[in-house]
Amino acid sequence: MEGLEEKLKGLSLARRSLPEEPTYLLDVALQPAGLLAVSCSNFTIHLHNKDTLSLVGQYQGHSGPLCGVVFSHTSPDSLYSGSADGTVRGWDVRRPGSEAVQVFKSGPSHNYCSFDLNCSDTLLCAGTEQVNDEDSFLVFWDVRKPGGKLLGVCFHPREKDRLASGSTDGLVNVFDLSRGGEDEALLATCNSDSSAGSVCWSGAEFTQLLCLSHDEGLHLWDLGQLDTDEPLTIFSTSDARGLPLLADGGGVDYLVGCRWLQEAQRLLVVGGKNSGDLHLMECDHAGLRLLRTLEGGHSSTVRCFLWDAVGEALFTGGEDAQLLLWKPGGEELTSGKRKSKKSESALRLKSRPHKKHGYQREKKGA
């Protein structure tokens, strides 16, 4: 089997897509049947053909910034989006431009900043911003109930009741939702010592958890060591920008995100430079290691990426409004140099400190 380095080494820019209006591309999700869903800073969701990047439709309905998009695992025609407008909406991708077929919401004071769908497509979970300058909440719905019945943020890829959540208080909590109340459900708490931006399950059995902080910190924990005397921390850095990862001895300007590549059994971390260059890295017990640099694509900050294991292709989107497809041996099919259509008014995302919840407890120190 070809190694990850060889696959990434062969990537080159194959397609470029620019919207008619300048907007930030914030998140991207892949439907196995061939569609890409992209959330935009103008509160819309775009559907693209994954091979040509051509726009095939869009959805409107949210009235606040989007916090992500995700396709159903078992019903590929179902797409979900979360928003700071206090709703998670379900869309039918067979009907581009139609209204949402499902709307999930909770209290009027809830503004969602993250959400996810579990691996069995039965539970939706959304995380709120701080409410009334006090607590933040995890809100759950049973998607099988008409109207989205309220039951009660990254679900485990295999265990439908396992959930990890991070907060701006720096704590990353792991829950087993089958245990009932939140005191019983809390399995472990890891401390990133900084505002947690995103979490990602990794490892051969998905027992590892990676956290990226809002100030470019990176923390990798092994939850398989919870019942042992071994430390949980595999690797940790408070600021990845200070690591000499690049050929010139410099570092990245920011971290885009991370993804566990199951076929390659490697943890991929993507960082970037403010110029638009991308740096593909792997993370393990030895730290971060540069695998490949992608140049000549984006002209400003990259906000999201997605790895297509079947097509061995990489999709990236950013503040220059461009959606790019990188493929082995690809040659760009659009003429002209890259051109930024960055919005004149920068998107401002809310990030307010959360107070630590009273129910938090640590099984073992991180």
Side-chain angles (χ1 to χ4, degrees):
M1 180 182 296
E2 186 181 16
L4 180 60
E5 289 89 343
E6 287 73 23
K7 292 180 181 179
L8 299 181
K9 185 178 180 180
L11 292 179
S12 57
L13 185 58
R15 293 276 182 176
R16 187 190 302 265
S17 174
L18 278 168
E20 295 181 357
E21 299 180 2
T23 182
Y24 288 2
L25 307 188
L26 304 177
D27 192 25
V28 57
L30 174 64
Q31 178 210 51
L35 289 177
L36 288 174
V38 180
S39 62
C40 304
S41 61
N42 60 3
F43 313 157
T44 65
I45 302 162
H46 291 179
L47 287 180
H48 295 263
N49 179 288
K50 84 176 186 71
D51 296 316
T52 65
L53 299 189
S54 59
L55 183 67
V56 297
Q58 65 176 347
Y59 297 102
Q60 297 179 329
H62 286 294
S63 59
L66 296 173
C67 61
V69 286
V70 61
F71 279 101
S72 165
H73 305 289
T74 59
S75 302
D77 292 326
S78 296
L79 173 70
Y80 296 91
S81 60
S83 170
D85 65 8
T87 67
V88 175
R89 296 174 183 261
W91 312 89
D92 186 345
V93 299
R94 296 168 298 184
R95 301 166 55 199
S98 62
E99 295 185 356
V101 295
Q102 290 177 296
V103 179
F104 305 89
K105 54 186 176 181
S106 52
S109 61
H110 288 174
N111 299 320
Y112 303 137
C113 56
S114 63
F115 88 104
D116 200 8
L117 176 70
N118 74 344
C119 61
S120 63
D121 287 341
T122 56
L123 281 178
L124 271 172
C125 175
T128 72
E129 293 276 1
Q130 192 177 15
V131 177
N132 298 325
D133 294 326
E134 294 184 357
D135 289 328
S136 58
F137 299 91
L138 292 176
V139 182
F140 298 89
W141 300 272
D142 185 339
V143 299
R144 300 164 297 183
K145 303 289 185 179
K149 184 178 179 181
L150 182 64
L151 297 179
V153 244
C154 181
F155 276 105
H156 194 278
R158 293 178 180 172
E159 300 182 36
K160 61 184 179 64
D161 295 318
R162 191 64 57 88
L163 174 75
S165 70
S167 174
T168 52
D169 60 13
L171 300 180
V172 176
N173 291 329
V174 180
F175 299 93
D176 182 349
L177 304 179
S178 66
R179 295 190 176 189
E182 60 185 11
D183 281 339
E184 295 78 15
L186 183 63
L187 295 180
T189 296
C190 299
N191 195 343
S192 68
D193 294 317
S194 184
S195 175
S198 63
V199 291
C200 168
W201 293 98
S202 65
E205 301 299 324
F206 294 102
T207 59
Q208 298 177 4
L209 193 62
L210 180 71
C211 170
L212 302 182
S213 67
H214 285 118
D215 54 3
E216 317 311 333
L218 181 150
H219 310 276
L220 180 61
W221 300 296
D222 185 359
L223 301 183
Q225 303 296 337
L226 277 174
D227 296 322
T228 75
D229 293 328
E230 298 298 319
L232 296 188
T233 300
I234 300 173
F235 174 74
S236 179
T237 176
S238 60
D239 192 346
R241 294 170 295 187
L243 300 178
L245 298 169
L246 309 184
D248 60 3
V252 298
D253 290 331
Y254 59 90
L255 297 175
V256 181
C258 53
R259 185 175 298 269
W260 173 253
L261 306 184
Q262 183 66 8
E263 291 187 357
Q265 293 288 292
R266 309 278 275 279
L267 178 55
L268 178 67
V269 177
V270 176
K273 302 290 286 185
N274 294 328
S275 62
D277 292 343
L278 279 173
H279 302 290
L280 311 183
M281 302 167 285
E282 72 166 325
C283 181
D284 56 22
H285 68 279
L288 283 173
R289 181 170 68 90
L290 181 66
L291 298 175
R292 175 73 198 280
T293 294
L294 299 177
E295 302 173 317
H298 290 283
S299 57
S300 60
T301 302
V302 175
R303 287 292 195 108
C304 58
F305 81 96
L306 186 148
W307 174 255
D308 177 10
V310 176
E312 297 186 351
L314 180 73
F315 299 91
T316 59
E319 295 184 4
D320 57 5
Q322 296 189 101
L323 177 64
L324 303 183
L325 167 60
W326 308 82
K327 296 179 63 177
E331 294 182 2
E332 187 174 356
L333 301 180
T334 55
S335 60
K337 297 181 179 180
R338 63 181 180 179
K339 180 181 179 182
S340 173
K341 293 187 70 174
K342 185 173 180 178
S343 173
E344 293 181 359
S345 59
L347 175 67
R348 307 206 179 275
L349 300 177
K350 292 185 289 183
S351 179
R352 296 175 293 180
H354 290 233
K355 291 185 178 179
K356 297 182 179 180
H357 307 297
Y359 63 81
Q360 290 169 339
R361 57 183 172 82
E362 294 192 11
K363 181 89 177 259
K364 182 183 290 289

